[in-house]
């Protein structure tokens, strides 16, 4: 399994970037895919997840307060600014990031979920792409 992120860089506050994650080594449509980020000194956090065809969103942990249903999940701080999408022909998942803020600065990783449903365990991760937002 290989996951290769690209598209990171330096952008001013309010700007946009699109990350791509090219995948290989597994049946793309059999898996949900997610994006994580990790800022310096902080824990890695799940930013978004997109279900595989026929899958959906179901997080079984009620403490996290995640809404189930639909085919995509977004962490609250990125809702309305980030958009996740996937292309089965290209075997690629994308993360469009608009209205970027300095607090979005982090290394962004794509990852595979075991199965088509968001909310499952993640197993493979890419090497990461640095996103830096200047104020």
């Amino acid at each position: 399994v290989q996951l290769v992120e690209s598209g990171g860089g330096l952008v001013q506050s309010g700007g946009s970037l699109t990350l791509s994650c090219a995948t290989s080594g597994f049946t793309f449509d059999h898996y949900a895919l997610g994006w994580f980020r990790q800022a310096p000194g902080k824990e890695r956090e799940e930013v978004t997840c997109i279900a595989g065809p026929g899958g959906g969103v179901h997080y079984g942990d009620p403490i996290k307060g995640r809404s189930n249903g639909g085919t995509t999940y977004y962490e609250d701080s990125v809702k309305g600014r980030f958009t996740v999408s996937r292309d089965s022909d290209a075997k690629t998942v994308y993360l469009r990031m608009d209205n970027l803020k300095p607090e979005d600065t982090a290394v962004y990783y794509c990852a595979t979920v075991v199965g088509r449903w968001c909310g499952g365990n993640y197993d493979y991760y890419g090497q990461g792409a640095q996103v830096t937002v200047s104020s």
Side-chain angles (χ1 to χ4, degrees), residues 12-105:
Q12 288 188 332
S13 182
S16 298
L17 279 176
T18 297
L19 301 180
S20 300
C21 175
T23 74
S24 62
F26 63 99
T27 304
F28 186 79
D29 285 348
H30 287 187
Y31 293 86
L33 293 156
W35 287 93
F36 287 77
R37 65 185 178 187
Q38 187 165 20
K42 294 188 177 181
E43 292 187 357
R44 185 174 59 191
E45 63 174 349
E46 184 183 25
V47 174
T48 182
C49 179
I50 183 167
V57 175
H58 182 78
Y59 289 88
D61 184 350
I63 297 175
K64 296 181 180 179
R66 295 177 177 175
S67 298
N68 293 322
T71 58
T72 56
Y73 158 78
Y74 294 96
E75 193 271 328
D76 284 346
S77 70
V78 307
K79 284 180 181 177
R81 300 190 298 122
F82 288 15
T83 304
V84 64
S85 61
R86 58 190 292 160
D87 183 333
S88 295
D89 291 335
K91 296 183 180 179
T92 300
V93 60
Y94 304 95
L95 181 62
R96 168 75 179 187
M97 303 181 290
D98 294 315
N99 190 21
L100 281 161
K101 305 175 181 180
E103 52 264 42
D104 294 318
T105 295

